C-alpha cells in the first residue's frame, strides 16, 4: 500500500502530528468567547494579569512571533480607514517589499515559504481558474446558445430565457445546504471532483434536449452539482493564503469566470461556423458536447490529484514536509484555524451552533454585502448580447465574437482591484471605486437615449460590477477564519441566501420581453451597486472592531494610556524585547 502513496492522494502525517493534538476553537467575531486548549507553542497569560485588558480577546501568546506594544494614546480619526491597523503589526507590514507582495516570505523568512506559494498558485490557484473557466463556459454557453439557434429549436418565447436561468439557480441553492455538514468533515479533493463529474454529465446531457422542460431539468441538475464549487474553493483558498495574499488568488479564480465569458463567445462562433449541421446536430448542441467531454470531465479528474486539503490535514502529493510545516506556521501567525477534529464538531442541529452563526453581527453584515454583489451584475444579464443582436445588423458569428469585449476588459478591472487590494492592504478603496464605475454604467443605460458611443462605453465597463468580488470574498474569508465549522456553515448560509435572491430578482428586473433596453434591470443594478459601495464602510467598521478584539493574536499588544491603562504585566514577566518587538522568553518556551 505504501507504494500507492506516491500515486494516490493520502493524508500526510508528520512526526509531530503523532505527538500532539493542535486543534482549537474560537468565536465567530469576538462577541462570544469559547475556552480553547493551548497549542504546543502557546503560553497562557491570564495568571499574569491582575486586571482584565479589554482590548485583549485572546489569552495566549505564541512562541517565536514578534509582538508590537502599541499605545493608542492620541489615535487619529482617519485611522478608521486603515484596514490592516489591527490585522497585522508593524513587523509584518514592513518585512514585505512592495514588489514582492505576490510572493512574500515575511512570516517564516525562508525560501520554503515562497516555494510553497509557487506550488499553491499552480495547484489551487491555477486549478480553480481552470475549473471556474469550465463553469463560466457552461453558464455563458446558455446565453450564446440562445442567440445561436436554441431559442427557435426549443420554441422559447417571452420570458423563457430568464425563467430557465431562475430554475437552474434553484438547483444550486438546494444542493448547497448539505455542505454545511460535509465541508468540515470530508476532504475537498474528494467532494469537489465527485460533484464536478455530475456537473459534467448533465452539461453533456444538454446537447440532446428536445424540449424546453427537458432543458430546464438538465440545467437544474447542472447547477445542483455545480453548487459545491464556490463554497469549497473559497474554503480551501482561505485555509492556505494570508489576508494580504488572498485577493490576488481569488482574482485567479475570477479570471476563470471572465475567461469563460471570452472563450464561450469565440468557441460558439467557431463551432457554429464549422460544425453547425454536422451529423445532424445544430451548432449550439456541439458546444455543450465539446464543453463536457473535452473540458469539464478532464478538469474534474485532475482535481482529485491537485487539491491539497488544508494545512493541518494535507493530502497533497506535491508539497514537502517542510512546506506543510511552513503553511501551518503561516496559519498560526495569521490566526487561521483550518480544522477541527470530527469528535469536537457540533451537531448541525445544535442550537449552540446556530446561535453562533445567527446570533452575531458578522452574519447579518456579510449577508447584505454578498446579496448586493449578486444583484448588481449587469455583466451577466445577457443585455449586451441582446443589444448586439437586436440593434445592429450583425451576423450570428459577429454577435458571438463581439460579445467577448466586456469580459476581455473585465480582466483588467479585476486585476486592478484584486492586486491593488493586496499591494496596498486596502480592499475597501477598490470596492468603492468599482461600484462608482458600475453606477456610471447603469446610469447611462437607464437613460438609454444617448449616443451609440456612450452605450458602447457603458457596456464595456459593465465588468466593474464583478471586479470587487475578489475583495468581497477575501473579507468573508478573513471574518470567518477563526472557526472552521462556523466558517463552513456561515459561508453556505450567506451564499445560499444571496443566491436565492438572485433566483427571483432577475425574473422581475430582467424580463426577456424588455430586451434590449432592460430599464428595470439597469435601475435595480444601479440601486444594488450604490448600496454595495456604501455598505463597504459598514463592513469595514465591523471588520476593524473584530480585529481589535483579536489584536493580541495578530501580534499587537494594545493599551491606551489616555484611559489610564498601562502595558500589560505579562510583557515584563513572560516576554523579552529584541529590537523594536517583544518575544516570548526562552525560559517560557522550554516549559511548553
Amino acid at each position: 500500500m505504501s507504494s500507492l502513496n506516491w500515486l494516490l492522494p493520502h493524508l500526510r502525517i508528520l512526526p509531530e502530528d503523532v505527538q500532539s493534538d493542535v486543534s482549537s476553537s474560537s468565536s465567530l467575531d469576538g462577541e462570544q468567547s469559547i475556552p480553547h486548549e493551548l497549542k504546543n507553542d502557546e503560553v497562557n497569560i491570564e495568571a499574569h494579569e491582575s486586571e482584565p485588558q479589554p482590548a485583549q480577546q485572546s489569552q495566549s501568546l505564541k512562541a517565536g512571533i514578534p509582538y508590537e506594544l502599541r499605545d493608542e494614546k492620541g489615535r487619529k480619526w482617519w485611522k478608521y480607514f486603515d484596514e490592516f491597523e489591527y490585522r497585522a503589526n508593524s513587523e509584518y507590514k514592513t518585512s514585505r517589499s512592495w514588489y514582492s507582495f505576490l510572493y512574500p516570505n515575511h512570516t517564516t523568512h525562508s525560501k520554503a515559504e515562497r516555494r510553497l506559494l509557487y506550488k499553491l498558485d499552480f495547484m489551487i490557484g491555477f486549478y480553480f481558474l481552470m475549473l471556474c473557466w469550465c463553469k463560466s463556459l457552461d453558464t455563458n454557453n446558455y446565453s450564446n446558445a440562445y442567440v445561436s439557434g436554441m431559442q427557435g429549436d426549443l420554441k422559447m418565447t417571452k420570458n423563457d430565457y430568464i425563467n430557465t436561468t431562475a430554475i437552474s439557480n434553484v438547483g444550486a441553492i438546494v444542493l448547497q445546504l448539505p455542505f454545511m455538514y460535509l465541508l468540515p468533515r470530508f476532504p475537498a479533493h474528494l467532494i469537489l471532483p465527485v460533484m464536478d463529474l455530475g456537473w459534467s454529465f448533465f452539461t453533456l446531457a444538454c446537447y440532446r434536449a428536445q424540449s424546453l422542460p427537458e432543458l430546464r431539468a438538465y440545467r437544474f441538475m447542472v447547477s445542483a452539482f455545480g453548487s459545491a464549487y464556490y463554497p469549497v474553493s473559497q474554503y480551501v483558498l482561505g485555509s492556505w493564503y494570508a489576508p494580504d495574499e488572498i485577493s490576488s488568488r481569488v482574482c485567479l479564480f475570477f479570471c476563470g469566470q471572465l475567461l469563460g465569458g471570452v472563450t464561450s463567445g469565440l468557441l460558439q462562433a467557431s463551432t457554429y461556423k464549422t460544425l453547425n449541421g454536422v451529423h445532424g446536430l445544430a451548432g449550439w448542441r456541439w458546444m455543450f458536447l465539446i464543453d463536457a467531454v473535452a473540458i469539464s470531465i478532464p478538469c474534474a479528474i485532475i482535481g482529485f490529484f491537485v487539491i491539497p486539503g488544508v494545512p493541518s490535514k494535507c493530502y497533497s502529493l506535491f508539497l514537502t514536509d517542510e512546506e506543510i510545516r511552513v503553511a501551518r506556521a503561516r496559519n498560526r501567525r495569521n490566526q487561521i484555524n483550518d480544522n477541527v477534529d470530527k469528535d469536537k464538531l457540533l451537531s448541525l442541529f445544535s442550537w449552540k451552533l446556530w446561535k453562533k452563526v445567527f446570533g452575531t453581527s458578522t452574519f447579518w453584515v456579510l449577508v447584505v454585502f454578498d446579496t448586493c454583489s449578486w444583484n448588481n451584475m449587469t455583466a451577466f444579464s445577457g443585455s449586451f448580447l441582446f443589444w448586439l443582436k437586436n440593434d445592429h445588423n450583425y451576423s450570428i458569428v459577429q454577435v458571438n465574437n463581439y460579445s467577448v469585449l466586456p469580459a476581455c476588459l473585465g480582466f483588467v478591472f479585476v486585476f486592478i482591484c484584486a492586486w491593488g487590494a493586496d499591494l496596498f492592504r486596502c480592499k475597501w478603496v477598490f470596492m468603492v471605486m468599482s461600484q462608482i464605475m458600475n453606477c456610471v454604467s447603469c446610469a447611462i443605460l437607464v437613460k438609454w437615449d444617448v449616443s451609440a458611443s456612450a452605450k458602447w462605453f457603458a457596456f464595456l465597463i459593465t465588468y466593474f460590477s464583478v471586479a470587487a468580488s475578489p475583495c468581497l470574498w477575501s473579507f468573508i474569508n478573513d471574518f470567518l477564519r477563526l472557526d472552521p465549522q462556523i466558517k463552513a456553515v456561515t459561508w453556505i448560509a450567506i451564499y445560499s441566501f444571496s443566491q436565492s435572491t438572485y433566483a427571483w430578482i432577475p425574473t422581475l428586473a430582467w424580463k426577456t420581453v424588455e430586451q434590449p433596453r432592460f430599464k428595470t434591470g439597469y435601475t435595480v443594478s444601479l440601486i444594488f451597486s450604490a448600496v454595495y459601495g456604501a455598505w463597504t464602510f459598514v463592513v469595514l467598521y465591523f471588520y476593524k472592531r473584530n480585529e481589535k478584539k483579536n489584536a493580541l493574536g495578530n501580534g499587537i499588544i494594545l493599551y491606551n494610556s489616555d484611559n489610564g491603562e498601562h502595558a500589560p504585566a505579562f510583557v515584563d514577566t513572560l516576554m523579552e524585547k529584541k529590537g523594536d518587538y517583544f518575544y516570548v522568553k526562552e525560559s517560557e518556551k522550554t516549559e511548553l
Side-chain angles (χ1 to χ4, degrees), residues 492-504:
I492 302 298
I494 290 172
Y495 200 74
S496 297
F497 181 89
S498 303
Q499 195 172 16
S500 68
T501 66
Y502 193 65
W504 61 269

Side-chain angles (χ1 to χ4, degrees), residues 193-215:
V194 169
M195 296 295 288
D196 290 342
L197 286 173
W199 157 24
S200 302
F201 174 79
F202 283 102
T203 297
L204 175 63
C206 287
Y207 96 93
R208 65 181 301 278
Q210 300 299 321
S211 66
L212 181 57
E214 186 180 358
L215 176 69

